[in-house]
């Protein structure tokens, strides 16, 4: 086999379909988020504003987080030096897990190297703990959840997105005695819509199922202490396992689950994705713990309020221009384009001509024909930056003769 030719063919297909992804080389400017510098392919540097980052609240550069990381670095050095079982558990890891358990009102938490790994490792391990487990998964669950469910080798059922009645039909068709788990998300990040948490918990209670909730795009962002949508709605106590990230609203790195002490103990004891992975550097664990603690306070609530306000302002202004906004009331602002080539061209022009960095979202992240630009306003995007973005979108939408008919939510 000509391996190079096969690689060339695979990459060429992405180019032909207009969905080849390009890394944009940027340097975040310390203390100036969301400003950054783009190292252009021509060797020049250009000042840009980041509009597609997941550091939703700017905590990645917050003084409280940086101070904690500096302190841990000076105290311990760089890496952890091992897995959690072999020399890689420190006071910083224990402090972080205690903050997370407290955040979600759970007995325990377990930190992984990413929320992707936390989902994959946990969902692929649960059938070992509950033989015969059937997992019912929302059709739009994240790739990490899908991968974990596929790899576990157990039974799985896919219910239509946010459709509790379809879920009920699937459950009723299965053995009532079989162990069951319902896996879903609180916010689906590509459309910004909310999962029907209460209705799914009701079904879980009715049929004796466990609940697994991915709060990755909601932790830090919702609830009086940043515990996510389940905290905001008073439902966290009905969730058996909550998955979250430390790399979005908390601005650092890593992922976790929060659950009962027995559940966390069993997962850490059986999940290869936990057992055989070097633990987070103590500096990262310290920064994450400091970020979580800060966002539990009134100052954290002020950041959440400011972020929600800026998201509403951006949506309102883009809607007033007839932009096809997908609006489900969350902090995420997707603008529907519907064609991969057009989506990439808009992204390129925004970056080159206006200094606005927003990545195109194409297949397989979203279905074909639903390509979009996904904006994530933060508390530190100021009114001038919002105004500049709106003017740029208006200009390019007209220049490219794109449809201004608004999508329904």
């Amino acid at each position: 086999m000509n391996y190079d030719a096969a690689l060339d063919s695979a990459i060429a297909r992405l180019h032909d379909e207009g969905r080849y992804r390009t890394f944009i080389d940027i340097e975040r400017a310390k203390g100036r988020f969301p400003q950054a510098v783009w190292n252009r392919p021509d060797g020049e540097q250009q000042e840009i504003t980041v509009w597609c980052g997941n550091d939703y609240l700017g905590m990645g550069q917050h003084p409280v987080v940086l101070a904690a990381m500096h302190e841990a670095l000076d105290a311990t050095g760089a890496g952890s030096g091992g897995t959690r079982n072999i020399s890689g558990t420190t006071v910083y890891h224990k402090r972080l897990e205690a903050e997370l358990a407290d955040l979600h009102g759970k007995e325990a938490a377990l930190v992984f190297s990413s929320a992707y790994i936390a989902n994959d490792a946990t969902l692929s391990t649960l059938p070992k703990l509950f033989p015969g487990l059937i997992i019912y998964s929302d059709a739009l669950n994240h790739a990490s959840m899908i991968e974990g469910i596929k790899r576990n080798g157990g039974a799985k059922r896919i219910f239509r997105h946010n459709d509790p009645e379809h879920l009920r039909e699937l459950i009723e068709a299965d053995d009532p005695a079989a162990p069951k788990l319902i896996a879903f998300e609180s916010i689906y990040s590509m459309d910004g819509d909310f999962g029907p948490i209460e209705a799914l918990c009701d079904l879980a209670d009715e049929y004796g199922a466990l609940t697994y909730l991915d709060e990755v795009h909601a932790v830090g962002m919702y609830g009086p202490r940043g515990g996510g949508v389940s905290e905001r709605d008073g439902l966290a106590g009905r969730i058996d396992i909550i998955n979250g990230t430390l790399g979005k609203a908390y601005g650092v790195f890593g992922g976790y689950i929060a659950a009962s002490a027995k559940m966390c103990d069993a997962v850490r004891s059986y999940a290869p994705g936990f057992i055989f992975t070097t633990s987070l550097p103590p500096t990262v664990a310290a920064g994450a713990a400091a970020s979580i603690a800060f966002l539990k306070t009134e100052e954290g609530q002020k950041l959440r309020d400011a972020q929600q306000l800026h998201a509403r302002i951006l949506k309102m202004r883009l809607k007033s221009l007839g932009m096809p906004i997908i609006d489900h009331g969350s902090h995420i602002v997707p603008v529907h384009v519907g064609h991969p080539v057009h989506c990439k061209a808009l992204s390129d022009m925004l970056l080159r001509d206006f200094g606005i960095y927003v990545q195109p979202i194409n297949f397989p992240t979203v279905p074909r024909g639903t390509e979009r630009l996904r904006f994530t306003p933060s508390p530190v995007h100021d009114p001038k930056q919002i105004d500049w973005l709106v003017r740029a979108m208006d200009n390019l939408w007209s220049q490219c003769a794109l449809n201004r008919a608004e999508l329904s939510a």
Side-chain angles (χ1 to χ4, degrees):
M1 181 177 183
N2 187 329
Y3 295 104
D4 283 342
L7 294 174
D8 288 340
S9 176
I11 296 299
R13 285 197 301 273
L14 297 179
H15 282 288
D16 293 342
E17 295 172 12
R19 59 186 187 92
Y20 179 78
R21 299 177 188 231
T22 303
F23 288 147
I24 305 298
D25 180 4
I26 69 169
E27 296 178 29
R28 284 162 56 112
K30 181 182 176 182
R32 298 183 59 221
F33 180 80
Q35 295 304 108
V37 173
W38 172 34
N39 296 311
R40 294 164 51 125
D42 60 9
E44 297 296 317
Q45 290 190 322
Q46 180 178 338
E47 185 92 359
I48 63 171
T49 303
V50 177
W51 275 99
C52 58
N54 285 333
D55 187 358
Y56 291 135
L57 300 176
M59 292 302 293
Q61 300 195 5
H62 197 283
V64 167
V65 175
L66 299 186
M69 296 185 75
H70 279 296
E71 180 185 346
L73 180 64
D74 291 340
T76 69
S80 70
T83 66
R84 286 294 297 275
N85 288 320
I86 306 175
S87 82
T89 295
T90 70
V91 64
Y92 299 100
H93 297 87
K94 301 300 287 185
R95 185 182 303 160
L96 173 56
E97 288 175 340
E99 284 285 0
L100 289 166
D102 172 75
L103 175 68
H104 295 294
K106 300 299 182 186
E107 293 178 340
L110 197 61
V111 172
F112 292 78
S113 54
S114 72
Y116 188 107
I117 298 299
N119 271 334
D120 186 1
T122 303
L123 287 167
S124 62
T125 296
L126 290 175
K128 300 176 187 176
L129 306 175
F130 307 107
L133 180 70
I134 303 171
I135 297 182
Y136 302 85
S137 175
D138 186 286
L140 294 189
N141 276 342
H142 189 269
S144 57
M145 300 173 76
I146 294 169
E147 190 65 25
I149 293 167
K150 281 181 178 178
R151 285 202 311 107
N152 69 32
K156 63 180 183 294
R157 312 283 185 260
I158 310 301
F159 61 93
R160 289 188 293 268
H161 178 52
N162 282 354
D163 190 340
E165 287 309 308
H166 185 226
L167 173 59
R168 178 186 292 276
E169 292 173 13
L170 295 175
I171 293 176
E172 289 186 343
D174 283 320
D175 180 358
K180 301 173 177 65
L181 179 139
I182 303 170
F184 54 102
E185 300 185 36
S186 61
I187 296 179
Y188 292 84
S189 63
M190 289 303 108
D191 282 351
D193 57 327
F194 294 89
I197 300 176
E198 185 171 17
L200 297 178
C201 287
D202 289 344
L203 282 173
D205 290 345
E206 184 177 348
Y207 293 98
L210 295 171
T211 47
Y212 187 103
L213 175 63
D214 182 310
E215 287 260 36
V216 160
H217 288 274
V219 290
M221 301 295 294
Y222 297 84
R225 301 194 310 151
V229 178
S230 59
E231 184 198 30
R232 182 198 70 180
D233 296 347
L235 298 169
R238 302 183 66 185
I239 304 297
D240 293 294
I241 305 172
I242 294 176
N243 167 275
T245 183
L246 306 171
K248 291 184 170 62
Y250 293 119
V252 192
F253 180 78
Y256 65 90
I257 61 168
S260 69
K262 285 183 181 180
M263 183 71 76
C264 289
D265 192 25
V267 170
R268 79 168 184 87
S269 300
Y270 281 86
F274 180 86
I275 296 169
F276 298 106
T277 300
T278 300
S279 67
L280 291 184
T283 51
V284 172
S291 183
I292 294 163
F294 178 84
L295 288 178
K296 290 175 180 177
T297 68
E298 290 184 10
E299 291 301 310
Q301 187 59 50
K302 289 178 183 177
L303 286 180
R304 283 188 284 276
D305 290 343
Q307 196 283 332
Q308 291 286 339
L309 175 61
H310 287 178
R312 288 195 299 271
I313 290 171
L314 180 58
K315 288 177 184 178
M316 178 183 67
R317 294 201 58 189
L318 291 175
K319 282 181 180 180
S320 72
L321 297 172
M323 296 286 167
I325 303 296
I326 305 170
D327 185 7
H328 294 278
S330 73
H331 62 283
I332 295 168
V333 186
V335 180
H336 181 267
V337 178
H339 191 286
V341 174
H342 295 163
C343 202
K344 179 67 165 62
L346 280 169
S347 172
D348 290 344
M349 288 186 286
L350 283 166
L351 183 63
R352 182 188 65 236
D353 301 336
F354 297 93
I356 291 169
Y357 175 38
V358 57
Q359 277 287 71
I361 307 295
N362 294 331
F363 179 84
T365 307
V366 295
R368 298 179 194 274
T370 70
E371 292 81 5
R372 68 204 57 188
L373 299 174
R374 177 180 172 273
F375 297 97
T376 53
S378 76
V380 290
H381 283 94
D382 63 39
K384 288 183 179 179
Q385 291 167 335
I386 294 174
D387 187 64
W388 183 244
L389 170 61
V390 171
R391 291 175 182 271
M393 287 289 286
D394 189 27
N395 179 299
L396 291 180
W397 221 257
S398 297
Q399 183 178 324
C400 298
L402 294 174
N403 181 20
R404 288 184 184 258
E406 183 180 339
L407 291 180
S408 59

